[in-house]
Amino acid sequence: MRRGNPQKIERKWQKRWAAGKLDRAADFDPRPKFYGLVEFPYPSGEGLHVGHPRSYTAMDIICRKRRMEGVNVLFPIGFDAFGLPAENYAVKTKTHPAVTTAANIKNFMRQLKALGLSFDWSRAFATTEPEYYRWTQWIFLQLYRRGLAYRAEIPINWCENCKIGLANEEVVDGRCERCGGPVSKRTKAQWLLRITAYAQRLIDDLQLVDYPERVRQSQLNWIGRSEGAEITFPVRANGATPSGALTVFTTRPDTIFGATFMVVAPEHALLAQHAAVLKNQDEIQRYAQAARSKSDLERTDLAKSKTGVRLDGLSAVNPATGKEIPIFVADYVLSSYGTGAIMAVPAHDQRDFEFARAYQLPVVPVVADPAGNGAPLTAAYVATQGGTIINSGQFNGLLVPEAVSKITAWLEYRGVGKRAITYKLRDWVFSRQRYWGEPIPLVYCHSDECRNRRLASGENTPGVHMVILDGREHTVVPLPEDQLPLELPKVKRYEPTATGESPLAAVGKWVAATCPQCGGVSRRETDVMPNWAGSNWYFLRYTDPENGELLADPKKLRYWLPVDWYNGGMEHTTLHLLYSRFIYKFLWDIGAVPPECGPEPYKKRTSHGLILGAGGEKMSKSRGNVVNPDTVIAEYGADVLRVYEMFIGPFDQPSPWDTKGIIGVKRFLDGVTEYVAWWTTAAKFPEASDLDQALQPAVRKIGEDIEAMRFNTAVAALMIARNALSAARQHAQGAQRASLSQLETYLLLLAPFAPHLAEELWEALGHKHCDRSHRGSIFSQPWPRYEASRAQAATVTVVVQVNGRVRDKVIMPAGTGEKEAVVQARQLRNVQRYLAQSAAVRVVFVPDRLINFVTS
């Protein structure tokens, strides 16, 4: 038996597994269920890279072990096929995205199957299939009908290269997450989802799940809960005339007596509302326009010089001191956080301090700096919880925590403030100005009939029930559910437009629609949904992928949910994880997901580290260090690739690719093959008596390591156990072989890691495989159980020392007690010789290992 052609062996077993449907999950099976999930891939033109198999193989190992433990396992796969990358690839290759996506999915399926992954392929789908995105559109309509989807004119992140709007989460370090291009700000009408309505629940329910701390922290940081107060500052025109008010949110109401000026974001409504009284309106407009072209990252960069323009003609009144203070517009304040305005306390905020110094504004300390000596401040003192309040009237002498509470209560009593909680999380921008995405199932109707019906119903909320298009009111009309899916039209021109409008806007026959409410002429929404839309709920559809009547059968959801274990990349623990938790909670709230499933979709979430290029660099085509799994499989076979990716390093950490490591894994598996080949001809040799002492600890360690995702040390344990088999074969007193049950145990441990080879060797031991029943398959066998009694050797060799130096060894029954062990050790001649001159005053005894006689 040789591994000369592992590819042939792997194809053989892949065909047998497929024919026997070994990996199919069974709905409502009485056995315990396990739902293992991996992030379904985006089918790119380049195909799989070696980073994909790391996550997939890890969960495959877990799922194979679960099946061998008698569990009913759902381990599904699909394809996240809508979105910007597909459209960019289509533009690049000048091929319609529907064509490229279909070809890419076919290639991905080939590659995934070549890896021997035990996915339930009967449940596979792509998010681009109308039968699937019908329910993505249905979810949007449910959100819309409950007021959680609305349209608004907002400043959005605009990718100059992709020519589309981006959610805040899709901008990384001021650049487009997908293409790396520059991002600026534009004001556009967008559909948004009110994810902020779920902000607190998204925080609270993290206590219900098993997530790594870094994953939990990334969710908390993005939601960004802040406790503090909303404070109202009266606004005056030309220093006298009351002109409304400016509300700010602050986490430090205790510092209000030190607020010496105010700052508003360039997008703040105050600028437009008071344009008539602003004496430097042109200067303000030029500054605001320049600020809108910058990304949030640029605007909030702590290292940049602080700039702004004073609102000449407007001022505010500090409600604590009664003093008139100036108002500025500055780009370091963002409209997306808090109220888009701040009270500036330069003595205790470094950005405010630098701004005050640049514009020669007063700096009033209100929290004492213990290290201060009365000299003018040269930097802001960020007051700690132990700071003492000064220059604050009746509140002087209070410590910061007490001052926060008492000053907030004082402001509430005077009607100029209130306790408040705010979140950094913003509502989710859900519109995309591109072609390749799910159409938004809404039309806009200008008819009097729809307008009158809207007014009569009282449903007239701007941005929800009514929008302004071309200067005229239009009623927003959702498509009836029996008209779903609203399919994406087939077009010749799908490239992004220079105007920023979706390419669908130019498809006149599709845009013109019949209003489903009044039968009149209407126009369709031409933006499409983001690539996240289809990936928010895909794990629900796996439970019932062919249901044409419901998103999924509630009975099947009740059986399979929640997902027991979800593994994916750390890069998705902010975006995808947050969005999918939100959508799941919404569906749970409206009863589309049964209450028994619980408020969280995933019981457990883990993340894997990236596989880097040689030398620790990130793999990229520009560096020429991308490794294609097809190449590795063609040369070494899928099992070598699988085992190497598990052995490459700690699973949750980045690991560099090393071809030498691949060769080492190949030698290991070749060694296993060679041993089984020898064993089948070695009946004349006696069975080794002590192999259980090597195999039973391996059973325990490998089982524990799989559950803890310590795959590298599990593979190491497999190697150590293989070495024990080989050592027995090369025993000094003559070759000894493993018993049949011992060799079977070893192959069972190897099977989840190298499934093809394990099946082949299992068959070589005489187990006949039946395609239909799989009774002979190694994966129909029970997972080995650790037996402590078999792990113990019958006898042990105990080292005997005198004063820490080895003087002899003695063989005795395992578990011999100290009294009997000392008696046996004292009878050794060499020990007696060293003990003759002085009696031992102390004995150090380590059971089954060591006796040390200490004489001084």
Side-chain angles (χ1 to χ4, degrees):
M1 185 188 309
R2 298 173 57 204
R3 282 193 77 248
N5 190 348
Q7 297 81 5
K8 183 178 180 180
I9 292 171
E10 288 164 1
R11 287 192 295 271
K12 163 188 167 181
W13 288 105
Q14 288 161 14
K15 287 179 181 178
R16 288 192 181 183
W17 293 333
K21 302 177 181 178
L22 182 65
D23 306 321
R24 292 278 183 96
D27 296 327
F28 312 121
D29 192 287
R31 294 173 295 167
K33 70 91 180 175
F34 177 79
Y35 187 169
L37 183 67
V38 290
E39 291 170 348
F40 62 169
Y42 162 69
S44 67
E46 289 77 22
L48 287 179
H49 56 74
V50 290
H52 287 102
R54 191 177 202 191
S55 171
Y56 300 163
T57 301
M59 188 53 68
D60 186 59
I61 289 169
I62 292 166
C63 288
R64 287 183 181 275
K65 176 175 178 283
R66 287 286 191 281
R67 292 190 188 100
M68 296 168 77
E69 291 170 332
V71 174
N72 182 28
V73 173
L74 173 56
F75 183 35
I77 192 64
F79 300 96
D80 187 13
F82 266 136
L84 185 59
E87 191 165 288
N88 286 347
Y89 182 75
V91 171
K92 179 182 176 182
T93 60
K94 295 181 169 38
T95 308
H96 196 281
V99 175
T100 59
T101 298
N104 294 344
I105 288 175
K106 185 177 180 180
N107 184 46
F108 264 62
M109 289 179 67
R110 175 192 63 79
Q111 291 183 297
L112 291 168
K113 289 179 178 181
L115 286 163
L117 300 165
S118 61
F119 290 129
D120 182 348
W121 285 100
S122 70
R123 297 173 185 253
F125 54 76
T127 57
T128 48
E129 296 169 6
E131 297 82 6
Y132 179 83
Y133 71 73
R134 165 190 179 182
W135 298 105
T136 307
Q137 292 173 334
W138 180 87
I139 291 170
F140 177 85
L141 290 180
Q142 308 316 305
L143 289 159
Y144 171 78
R145 290 185 175 120
R146 289 163 177 81
L148 293 173
Y150 65 97
R151 193 172 187 264
E153 290 267 349
I154 61 167
I156 63 167
N157 303 299
W158 183 260
C159 175
E160 301 291 346
N161 290 352
C162 300
K163 297 183 174 64
I164 62 163
L166 303 173
N168 290 336
E169 297 88 339
E170 295 172 302
V171 180
V172 179
D173 295 333
R175 306 190 80 80
C176 175
E177 180 201 30
R178 287 293 186 181
C179 75
V183 174
S184 61
K185 288 286 186 180
R186 284 194 183 184
T187 298
K188 288 187 70 68
Q190 303 281 293
W191 280 95
L192 296 95
L193 299 187
R194 212 179 298 274
I195 190 174
T196 51
Y198 281 72
Q200 193 57 48
R201 286 174 61 187
L202 289 167
I203 291 173
D204 293 343
D205 289 351
L206 287 172
Q207 303 301 318
L208 305 176
V209 293
D210 180 7
Y211 289 1
E213 182 56 28
R214 60 177 180 163
V215 172
R216 195 180 75 88
Q217 206 58 50
S218 74
Q219 296 267 296
L220 293 174
N221 290 344
W222 192 262
I223 299 168
R225 185 181 193 270
S226 296
E227 297 183 17
E230 281 188 357
I231 303 175
T232 301
F233 287 69
V235 173
R236 292 178 179 173
N238 298 313
T241 308
S243 190
L246 195 54
T247 300
V248 303
F249 171 82
T250 177
T251 59
R252 296 299 304 275
D254 55 302
T255 64
I256 188 171
F257 285 86
T260 58
F261 61 99
M262 301 192 75
V263 184
V264 297
E267 302 85 2
H268 200 285
L270 182 82
L271 302 181
Q273 292 168 357
H274 294 82
V277 301
L278 293 172
K279 299 174 183 177
N280 55 341
Q281 174 70 358
D282 290 344
E283 182 186 11
I284 292 168
Q285 285 300 313
R286 285 194 300 270
Y287 181 86
Q289 187 60 38
R292 292 188 190 104
S293 67
K294 300 177 183 177
S295 70
D296 288 354
L297 186 75
E298 291 176 287
R299 286 172 56 171
T300 56
D301 183 2
L302 294 177
K304 81 178 187 70
S305 298
K306 303 300 179 288
T307 63
V309 175
R310 184 168 180 165
L311 305 188
D312 191 0
L314 279 185
S315 60
V317 176
N318 184 323
T321 65
K323 293 181 180 179
E324 189 174 340
I325 57 177
I327 306 174
F328 287 78
V329 57
D331 60 6
Y332 75 90
V333 176
L334 303 177
S335 61
S336 59
Y337 182 71
T339 64
I342 66 166
M343 65 175 207
V345 185
H348 304 295
D349 182 279
Q350 189 60 30
R351 293 181 308 172
D352 295 347
F353 179 82
E354 292 172 6
F355 193 93
R357 188 165 55 180
Y359 291 91
Q360 299 181 331
L361 299 167
V363 177
V364 178
V366 289
V367 182
D369 180 357
N373 55 10
L377 290 174
T378 57
Y381 167 56
V382 181
T384 65
Q385 288 293 300
T388 303
I389 299 298
I390 59 173
N391 297 326
S392 300
Q394 68 198 70
F395 303 102
N396 287 344
L398 296 179
L399 294 178
V400 166
E402 187 180 7
V404 168
S405 177
K406 289 193 171 182
I407 290 178
T408 301
W410 178 65
L411 293 169
E412 286 181 318
Y413 175 76
R414 298 178 59 227
V416 292
K418 63 179 180 179
R419 299 175 193 277
I421 295 172
T422 192
Y423 302 90
K424 187 174 68 175
L425 180 68
R426 298 293 92 190
D427 282 341
W428 175 14
V429 178
F430 206 67
S431 291
R432 296 295 184 273
Q433 296 71 39
R434 61 172 177 245
Y435 167 70
W436 195 238
E438 299 92 339
I440 294 175
L442 301 172
V443 299
Y444 304 118
C445 183
H446 183 57
S447 74
D448 290 339
E449 181 180 339
C450 279
R451 179 178 182 275
N452 293 336
R453 184 179 298 185
R454 166 168 48 86
L455 295 175
S457 69
E459 295 180 338
N460 197 37
T461 307
V464 177
H465 307 108
M466 179 271 291
V467 297
I468 304 296
L469 301 174
D470 302 327
R472 300 191 301 175
E473 273 191 17
H474 286 70
T475 300
V476 181
V477 182
L479 290 186
E481 291 177 14
D482 61 8
Q483 291 187 21
L484 301 180
L486 171 59
E487 293 196 30
L488 197 61
K490 296 178 181 178
V491 299
K492 292 183 178 180
R493 298 188 62 83
Y494 45 81
E495 297 85 358
T497 65
T499 63
E501 293 298 317
S502 165
L504 290 175
V507 187
K509 290 184 179 179
W510 185 81
V511 174
T514 300
C515 175
Q517 186 166 263
C518 73
V521 176
S522 63
R523 56 194 283 188
R524 296 193 191 280
E525 170 60 66
T526 58
D527 284 355
V528 296
M529 300 184 196
N531 53 298
W532 308 105
S535 64
N536 289 327
W537 68 280
Y538 74 109
F539 57 94
L540 300 175
R541 189 64 174 176
Y542 281 143
T543 67
D544 197 12
E546 296 182 4
N547 195 321
E549 303 299 322
L550 295 168
L551 180 147
D553 182 343
K555 293 179 182 178
K556 293 181 179 180
L557 291 171
R558 197 177 293 117
Y559 177 82
W560 285 114
L561 291 179
V563 173
D564 292 283
W565 196 333
Y566 188 14
N567 187 77
M570 268 302 295
E571 68 274 18
H572 294 140
T573 55
T574 298
L575 310 181
H576 161 67
L577 192 60
L578 190 67
Y579 291 159
S580 63
R581 291 179 63 222
F582 160 53
I583 293 297
Y584 175 87
K585 287 179 181 298
F586 168 73
L587 293 173
W588 187 67
D589 286 349
I590 67 172
V593 172
E596 296 90 338
C597 298
E600 281 289 322
Y602 319 115
K603 278 187 182 179
K604 181 174 184 175
R605 166 75 189 207
T606 51
S607 294
H608 57 277
L610 295 173
I611 289 186
L612 306 173
E617 289 186 324
K618 188 173 181 179
M619 285 190 181
S620 68
K621 287 192 293 184
S622 62
R623 292 190 177 101
N625 62 354
V626 174
V627 179
N628 189 320
D630 287 353
T631 305
V632 180
I633 291 173
E635 186 169 356
Y636 301 104
D639 283 339
V640 169
L641 176 60
R642 288 170 59 106
V643 175
Y644 172 67
E645 293 219 1
M646 296 300 96
F647 190 52
I648 195 171
F651 183 70
D652 62 346
Q653 297 175 25
S655 300
W657 187 267
D658 182 5
T659 304
K660 292 180 182 177
I662 281 272
I663 295 170
V665 167
K666 177 182 181 299
R667 288 174 180 161
F668 159 60
L669 294 181
D670 285 347
V672 175
T673 304
E674 196 277 331
Y675 179 85
V676 174
W678 170 81
W679 187 93
T680 59
T681 63
K684 63 182 179 182
F685 297 112
E687 292 182 357
S689 61
D690 58 352
L691 274 178
D692 277 340
Q693 285 86 68
L695 287 174
Q696 285 303 312
V699 170
R700 181 170 62 179
K701 178 165 180 56
I702 292 167
E704 291 174 351
D705 283 354
I706 289 173
E707 297 305 317
M709 293 191 128
R710 296 190 297 263
F711 299 108
N712 58 327
T713 56
V715 173
L718 284 168
M719 293 176 172
I720 292 169
R722 195 283 311 268
N723 291 341
L725 297 176
S726 299
R729 177 182 173 185
Q730 297 163 2
H731 198 280
Q733 297 177 1
Q736 298 178 356
R737 66 189 180 97
S739 68
L740 175 60
S741 66
Q742 288 170 338
L743 186 52
E744 287 176 336
T745 295
Y746 183 78
L747 293 180
L748 289 167
L749 296 173
L750 178 67
F753 295 84
H756 310 90
L757 178 62
E759 283 276 36
E760 185 73 9
L761 299 181
W762 188 257
E763 187 177 62
L765 296 184
H767 299 286
K768 190 174 181 181
H769 190 281
C770 176
D771 286 349
R772 291 187 177 179
S773 68
H774 281 289
R775 287 179 183 173
S777 169
I778 194 169
F779 294 106
S780 65
Q781 311 307 311
W783 181 255
R785 289 188 176 184
Y786 171 67
E787 298 180 48
S789 60
R790 293 176 60 189
Q792 284 284 66
T795 59
V796 292
T797 300
V798 176
V799 173
V800 183
Q801 299 176 337
V802 178
N803 293 327
R805 302 190 68 175
V806 177
R807 298 307 181 188
D808 212 332
K809 296 179 181 178
V810 60
I811 297 175
M812 60 182 67
T816 300
E818 180 177 354
K819 185 176 180 179
E820 177 62 27
V822 170
V823 169
Q824 292 189 42
R826 283 184 177 277
Q827 294 173 358
L828 299 171
R829 284 188 182 181
N830 209 33
V831 173
Q832 290 176 350
R833 181 156 61 98
Y834 284 96
L835 287 179
Q837 298 175 2
S838 59
V841 296
R842 186 163 59 94
V843 176
V844 177
F845 175 67
V846 180
D848 293 342
R849 295 181 61 185
L850 178 139
I851 298 172
N852 181 23
F853 295 102
V854 182
T855 64
S856 57

